[in-house]
């Protein structure tokens, strides 16, 4: 009996400590020491968000889900649109769009579809340390999808780049699940640029919106010149420190997930977790959109902080009513546009 009581006391103290730490931790703490982004660096991001949103539309001439300001895209410049039926679930739906106004070739990939079995299979095709790439670790299922996508579209992308004078930028962009595919597609392209006609590394960019944790820390830093991650305030996915597949096994049981996170954060030393080279992180340079302040109600004019962090790279889930809404691409586009304005 006394042993049981002792165990209960230890668990209660551990949970109390975790609750105190989590309830006093706010999303803006992650980037509190970062400098502000310049408008020039942040300028493409609202436009890229709208390109990802366009993947959800069947017809850009008659949009159903468009943002307040419209898409600002020419429907005649959409080169290709691929659905689940066309790709047999090997990758999320995507579109290829050539933006002559900004001299960009954009491959935009949509986020997780909660009713698509193929998306879950893609996410669950991984275990910690399963897939090595370029001296680090990556998510196996997302890498497999990225390689399939490159093999499928390399001829189209190469033709578009060459036909436009070999000077346009090649933009890979995705949201949520699509962000992981886009980020890993980018590092494959950077290492095999001959597949796209020898495109320079400086012409390749990736924008991972609400990014999934898909690569180890050494790769996240190594490719920070070509990959940019955009996170809105309290978004849960870039902060989820458990393996990505465990999150989606528990997506319909949030209390179970929080309990497991609580136990891990309480009883596993922080240094031990962060020293694991197999641990996956959100990729590249981070842009953190901050729009709410501690102990103050409402939203404020957003500011954008940026850095290439090595320590404290969005390690803790924020217990916030906005943790899931901040993951929505429509909100990210809106707040990014406000920040730029």
């Amino acid at each position: 009996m006394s042993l049981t009581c002792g165990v209960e006391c230890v668990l209660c103290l551990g949970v109390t400590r975790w609750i105190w730490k989590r309830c006093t931790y706010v999303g803006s703490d992650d980037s509190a020491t970062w400098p502000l982004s310049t408008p020039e660096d942040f300028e493409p991001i609202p436009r890229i968000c709208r390109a990802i949103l366009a993947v959800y539309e069947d017809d850009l001439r008659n949009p159903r889900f468009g943002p307040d300001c419209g898409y600002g895209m020419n429907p005649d410049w959409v080169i290709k649109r691929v659905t689940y039926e066309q790709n047999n679930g090997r990758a999320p739906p995507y579109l290829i769009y050539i933006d002559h106004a900004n001299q960009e070739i954009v491959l935009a990939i949509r986020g997780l579809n909660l009713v698509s079995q193929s998306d879950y299979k893609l996410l669950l095709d991984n275990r910690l340390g399963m897939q090595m790439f370029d001296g680090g670790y990556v998510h196996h299922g997302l890498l497999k999808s990225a390689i399939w996508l490159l093999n499928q579209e390399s001829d189209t992308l190469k033709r578009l780049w060459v036909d436009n004078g070999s000077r346009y930028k090649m933009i890979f962009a995705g949201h949520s699940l699509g962000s992981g595919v886009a980020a890993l597609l980018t590092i494959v392209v950077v290492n095999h640029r001959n597949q796209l006609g020898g495109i320079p590394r400086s012409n390749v960019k990736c924008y991972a919106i609400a990014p999934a944790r898909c690569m180890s820390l050494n790769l996240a830093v190594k490719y920070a010149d070509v990959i940019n991650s955009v996170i809105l305030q309290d978004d849960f996915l870039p902060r989820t420190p458990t393996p990505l597949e465990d999150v989606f096994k528990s997506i319909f049981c949030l209390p179970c997930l929080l309990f497991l996170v609580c136990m891990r954060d309480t009883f596993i030393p922080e240094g031990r977790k962060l020293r694991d080279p197999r641990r996956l992180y959100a990729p590249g340079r981070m842009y953190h959109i901050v729009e709410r302040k501690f102990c103050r109600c409402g939203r404020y004019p957003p500011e954008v902080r940026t850095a290439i962090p090595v320590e404290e790279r969005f390690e803790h889930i924020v217990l916030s009513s906005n943790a899931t809404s901040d993951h929505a691409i429509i909100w990210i586009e809106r707040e990014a546009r406000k920040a730029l304005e």
Side-chain angles (χ1 to χ4, degrees), residues 242-307:
T242 52
L244 190 60
E245 61 271 19
D246 292 343
V247 176
F248 286 90
K249 287 175 184 176
S250 304
I251 196 166
F252 298 113
C253 185
L254 189 57
C256 300
L257 173 62
L258 290 177
F259 177 77
L260 292 172
V261 172
C262 168
M263 292 298 100
R264 192 222 50 239
D265 285 355
T266 302
F267 295 107
I268 299 179
E270 187 81 4
R272 176 181 167 188
K273 292 179 292 183
L274 300 181
R275 282 196 301 269
D276 189 345
R278 302 169 301 167
R279 184 179 173 85
L280 303 183
Y281 292 82
R285 170 176 285 278
M286 319 294 286
Y287 289 90
H288 192 201
I289 305 172
V290 177
E291 53 163 5
R292 294 182 298 274
K293 299 182 181 180
F294 184 56
C295 290
R296 297 177 68 179
C297 298
R299 296 174 183 265
Y300 292 81
E303 64 180 24
V304 181
R305 306 167 185 170
T306 184

Side-chain angles (χ1 to χ4, degrees), residues 6 31 33 36 91 114 120-121 128 152 171 174 210 254 258 273 296-297 316 319 323 341:
S31 60
T33 60
L36 295 178
L114 292 175
Y120 287 105
K121 288 179 181 178
L128 194 63
Q152 192 77 6
I171 307 292
L254 189 57
L258 290 177
K273 292 179 292 183
R296 297 177 68 179
C297 298
H316 303 292
L319 296 182
E341 290 170 356

Side-chain angles (χ1 to χ4, degrees), residues 49-69:
C49 288
R50 291 191 287 273
I52 297 171
L53 270 170
V55 183
Y56 294 82
E57 300 284 2
D58 295 324
D59 183 4
L60 276 179
R61 290 182 172 84
N62 299 288
R64 295 180 297 160
F65 312 111
D68 300 338
C69 63

